[in-house]
Amino acid sequence: MGTDAVILVGGMGTRLRPLTLSAPKPMLPTAGVPFLTHLIARIRDAGVRHIVLGTSYQADVFASYFGDGSDFGVEMEYVVEAEPLGTGGGIRNVADRLRGDTVLIFNGDVLSGVDLRALLATHDSTGADVTLYLTKVADPRAFGCVPTDADGWVTAFLEKDPHPISDQINAGTYVFDRAVIDSIPSGRAVSVERETFPGLLRAGARIAGHVDATYWRDLGRPSDFVAGSADLVQGFAPSPALPGPVGSALLLPGAEVDPSAVVSGGTTVGARASVGAGAVVEGSVLFDGATVRAGAVVRRSVIGFGTVVGEGAVLEDAVVGDRAHIGRGVELLAGARVWPDVVVPDGAIRFSSDL
Ligand code: GDD
Ligand code: MG
């Protein structure tokens, strides 16, 4: 029987504030399109056409953009959690929409190059109840640590362990047998990572690991969000949905870049956004209608919708909300965040904190 896809998109995107005040994390423009567009295109290309979104925070935004999915070559359905049910609760909550025996489940904020057909093939050939896509990272503490034995079977699931026993982590994509989904309790919040996976292991369920070393990044933090967008633009992260040729920058319709400006490192310049004379924009995301004035320097930063960066301002690793105004010569460094509509007056002031 067929395979359904479920994408969990109910999180509040707290770590990406203030960007996620105006849009849920999976809908933030990433290499020119809402992030989910890349994931949906990869799911479609793997031959899976029925996609159910498990939504909660800003639930309406998804359906108004993707509709019934036909413009994207898929069939989309939406299920809303009035109160967030957690990752496991979100999966259980879409059970009545599922049609097949096998379900591909995605965290909605992971950019990856894994071959989804190969992941499904691992599930088939091992006869596992659940198969987890696993990858290796330098610092596993922010993720689910998932060790496997010599035959590839998962031996433990340790979510956000401060002292991980392995550098192998849950990459945030699962294959479930339909029957396992029905065993998750309904009507209450459940964490698939903290409750369902450890419980399944205790009960003797067979959970297989599918280890893959191609591109992987969770876009939940600002530094990863900008880096992921830049990797898509430069073709380091694969996507069938990139709205332009792979290159050192992506300019959306109506973007204007002065010939003396340098825009590079996978920067996206949004629709009707502009970059002035002599400005440098590197590895950044300029949302639609953003303005970077002459001589400004913007590195690894996100500039919100309609926001202005004044002449000679320097932004590094900064996140600036929508419609803000950064004065001339202001320096915003090291993870500074500016809330929407804030006006930062002219001056060579250094900020690395919230404004
Ligand atoms: N429907 C629904 N309801 N979705 C939710 C809820 C909820 O209550 N809570 C979170 N989600 C969605 C988020 O929108 C996101 O797409 C996904 O579930 C994962 O949540 P994150 O908040 O991004 O989790 P994380 O990044 O800290 O950790 C998870 O992902 C890592 C890999 O990227 C865990 O699954 C880790 O084990 C994993 O290593
Ligand atoms: Mg995440």
Side-chain angles (χ1 to χ4, degrees), residues 82-101:
E83 291 297 323
L85 290 172
T87 45
I91 296 167
R92 178 66 179 84
N93 197 45
V94 305
D96 65 352
R97 307 299 178 97
L98 304 174
R99 301 169 185 170
D101 298 332

Side-chain angles (χ1 to χ4, degrees), residues 20-94:
T20 43
L21 298 174
S22 57
K25 170 166 68 174
M27 294 303 283
L28 289 175
T30 314
V33 291
F35 175 72
L36 271 191
T37 317
H38 301 289
L39 179 57
I40 288 167
R42 280 174 43 75
I43 294 171
R44 180 199 59 212
D45 286 6
V48 177
R49 298 297 157 95
H50 179 227
I51 303 179
V52 186
L53 292 198
T55 69
S56 178
Y57 178 66
Q58 297 194 16
D60 319 338
V61 181
F62 299 95
S64 20
Y65 187 82
F66 292 107
D68 64 3
S70 50
D71 290 353
F72 300 85
V74 294
E75 185 190 342
M76 304 258 310
E77 286 191 70
Y78 308 87
V79 178
V80 183
E81 298 155 36
E83 291 297 323
L85 290 172
T87 45
I91 296 167
R92 178 66 179 84
N93 197 45
V94 305

